[in-house]
Amino acid sequence: MDSRTDVQDEVGYIGRIPVRNLWLLMLYASDLFRELENAKVAVEDNPDEIADLVAELLCRRVERRIQRNLSYGYQSREAVLSRVRGRIDLLTTERHRLLDRGKIACRFDELTIDTPRNRYVRSALEEVSKIVVSKALAHRCRSLATSLRRMGVTGDRPNRSEVSVDRFGRHDSGDQSMVAAAHLALNLALPTESVGAKMLSSPDREIHWIRKLYEKGIAGFYDVTLSPQGWRVEAGKKYTWQIEKRSQDIDKVLPAMRTDIILNHLGTERRIVIDTKFNSVVTRGWYREETLRNGYVYQIYAYLRSQEGSGDPLAENASGLLLHPSVGDSFNESVVIQNHEIRFATVDLGATAKDIREQLLKVVGEVSCN
């Protein structure tokens, strides 16, 4: 058995979905996918190479930043000094009678390379080195992580909230692409349900994360593949109700309408409103074995009908698409209600990456041709 097959067996599954297909969604959801250009087809044909590709991108960016010097940041410190630095901690100074010994307690900010951002990147190098196929690339990741530690990046890995609040200025804008690659690398290194030493992930605990990944991945895929064909892709757009009259406090309780994905093609005056749902497309009904989920039908119906007469010509005959994931199953049905086509379809996340791509393009083609 070759090393490629070994890696395929090792990466395992999240629920029933092969992790390599989640890697593909992560890549679609990331801005990095737009930078790959010539490598896009190869990646989709061989998704097991995604980890190596992302690791290579991360290494290049870390090496570039090291050559130009890593960015520094300020870290709050408390220390007992022989001279005043920053602010005086009067309570600590008095409690320990430091003045009698010619000392004073101070609180100050110190310039350091051991920032949450740099620690995050170092952790990404360490984690992605465990899943890449190339031994040389794994060694390169570990060597760069060691170099960062020697330079002083020694603190613990920060959580995502610490990094998410980090802001990039003009002096450190070069860090932005490096952190983006680190974020994707850490996502790729998520624990899986495979036999081995790794802690297994519960699908129930991961469901919210996977649901958001599915939504962003589908939006990113359509943005990259359909934009060159004249489609404009909008993700997370908010629709407004056409309100003619309102009571005083209705705005506090009236639900908002936020769409997942909207595809607009001005040349053919087509609009497709896509709602991604990370569960089965049908459920058990009261009087029949299977039925579409009525809440989802009402939701997409509201998205379509509520925009009629708003002065937007694309809204008058817009189509809706409820796109659910599946593993091994296929569902593709449609209905036209009051001049609006609504299609209910699945994409098989257990299929090959090439098949997933073809399914996503096919279902949009079927909607837009009607």
Side-chain angles (χ1 to χ4, degrees):
M1 185 176 294
D2 60 24
S3 60
R4 176 73 59 190
T5 306
D6 290 340
V7 171
Q8 290 176 357
D9 292 337
E10 182 183 342
V11 294
Y13 295 79
I14 293 291
R16 295 167 58 202
I17 303 171
V19 168
R20 64 182 62 85
N21 288 346
L22 291 181
W23 286 358
L24 193 64
L25 287 178
M26 291 175 198
L27 197 60
Y28 288 152
S30 169
D31 290 336
L32 294 177
F33 189 61
R34 293 159 180 77
E35 302 177 19
L36 299 180
E37 297 301 335
N38 296 333
K40 286 177 183 176
V41 175
V43 165
E44 291 175 338
D45 288 341
N46 302 287
D48 293 305
E49 295 182 358
I50 292 176
D52 288 60
L53 178 64
V54 172
E56 177 69 30
L57 289 173
L58 177 59
C59 287
R60 288 181 186 176
R61 290 171 183 187
V62 173
E63 289 164 349
R64 190 181 307 137
R65 291 305 293 160
I66 290 177
Q67 289 174 356
R68 301 178 181 178
N69 294 325
L70 289 172
S71 57
Y72 283 72
Y74 285 97
Q75 184 179 50
S76 296
R77 279 196 58 196
E78 298 179 5
V80 175
L81 306 173
S82 57
R83 60 184 178 85
V84 175
R85 183 178 178 184
R87 293 178 297 172
I88 299 173
D89 185 346
L90 292 174
L91 183 61
T92 302
T93 301
E94 283 294 322
R95 181 187 299 144
H96 297 284
R97 302 178 63 88
L98 296 177
L99 289 176
D100 295 345
R101 294 182 280 128
K103 302 288 185 179
I104 192 167
C106 300
R107 294 176 179 173
F108 54 93
D109 292 331
E110 185 175 60
L111 197 62
T112 179
I113 201 172
D114 192 23
T115 62
R117 182 186 302 173
N118 290 336
R119 284 186 267 129
Y120 189 74
V121 171
R122 187 208 69 218
S123 299
L125 287 167
E126 293 168 343
E127 292 300 320
V128 79
S129 69
K130 303 172 184 177
I131 61 173
V132 295
V133 175
S134 169
K135 293 182 179 180
L137 185 56
H139 176 72
R140 185 177 168 195
C141 292
R142 290 192 295 267
S143 296
L144 283 171
T146 301
S147 296
L148 293 180
R149 285 188 179 276
R150 289 172 179 167
M151 294 170 67
V153 185
T154 57
D156 295 334
R157 169 181 163 181
N159 57 45
R160 292 182 185 272
S161 60
E162 290 181 76
V163 180
S164 65
V165 298
D166 205 2
R167 294 294 178 265
F168 299 92
R170 284 182 297 178
H171 67 288
D172 59 359
S173 59
D175 284 356
Q176 196 161 4
S177 61
M178 179 179 68
V179 172
H183 181 72
L184 181 54
L186 284 171
N187 278 342
L188 297 183
L190 81 170
T192 62
E193 297 176 26
S194 59
V195 177
K198 290 184 178 180
M199 185 68 69
L200 303 188
S201 226
S202 165
D204 293 335
R205 289 197 297 268
E206 298 289 351
I207 190 65
H208 177 72
W209 174 81
I210 296 178
R211 182 183 295 119
K212 295 302 294 182
L213 170 64
Y214 177 66
E215 176 186 331
K216 289 189 65 177
I218 298 300
F221 171 81
Y222 284 136
D223 188 25
V224 170
T225 57
L226 296 184
S227 293
Q229 302 176 27
W231 289 89
R232 188 178 67 196
V233 182
E234 297 179 277
K237 182 178 179 179
K238 188 175 181 179
Y239 270 167
T240 57
W241 298 97
Q242 296 190 62
I243 298 175
E244 299 174 359
K245 187 177 180 180
R246 71 182 76 204
S247 61
Q248 182 176 349
D249 295 324
I250 188 63
D251 289 337
K252 298 178 181 178
V253 295
L254 189 66
M257 290 189 292
R258 187 176 297 276
T259 60
D260 289 346
I261 307 163
I262 297 179
L263 308 180
N264 290 321
H265 196 286
L266 300 181
T268 56
E269 295 187 342
R270 295 294 300 154
R271 170 172 295 164
I272 305 175
V273 180
I274 301 177
D275 215 44
T276 57
K277 301 296 185 183
F278 201 81
N279 55 12
S280 61
V281 64
V282 293
T283 185
R284 176 173 288 277
W286 285 102
Y287 302 107
R288 48 186 167 174
E289 197 166 308
E290 289 184 331
T291 180
L292 293 167
R293 298 173 184 269
N294 55 6
Y296 295 167
V297 178
Y298 301 151
Q299 182 182 21
I300 196 72
Y301 178 79
Y303 286 166
L304 299 174
R305 291 302 309 277
S306 67
Q307 303 307 298
E308 293 178 0
S310 62
D312 182 356
L314 271 66
E316 300 305 316
N317 62 348
S319 302
L321 170 62
L322 280 165
L323 190 58
H324 295 248
S326 69
V327 177
D329 299 324
S330 177
F331 188 95
N332 192 342
E333 302 291 344
S334 67
V335 63
V336 176
I337 302 176
Q338 294 172 290
N339 201 40
H340 295 282
E341 179 193 0
I342 303 176
R343 185 169 291 271
F344 308 88
T346 58
V347 55
D348 184 1
L349 294 184
T352 65
K354 185 176 181 180
D355 286 341
I356 291 174
R357 174 188 175 89
E358 292 176 354
Q359 289 175 57
L360 290 173
L361 292 176
K362 179 182 178 182
V363 71
V364 166
E366 290 173 339
V367 174
S368 61
C369 287
N370 289 300

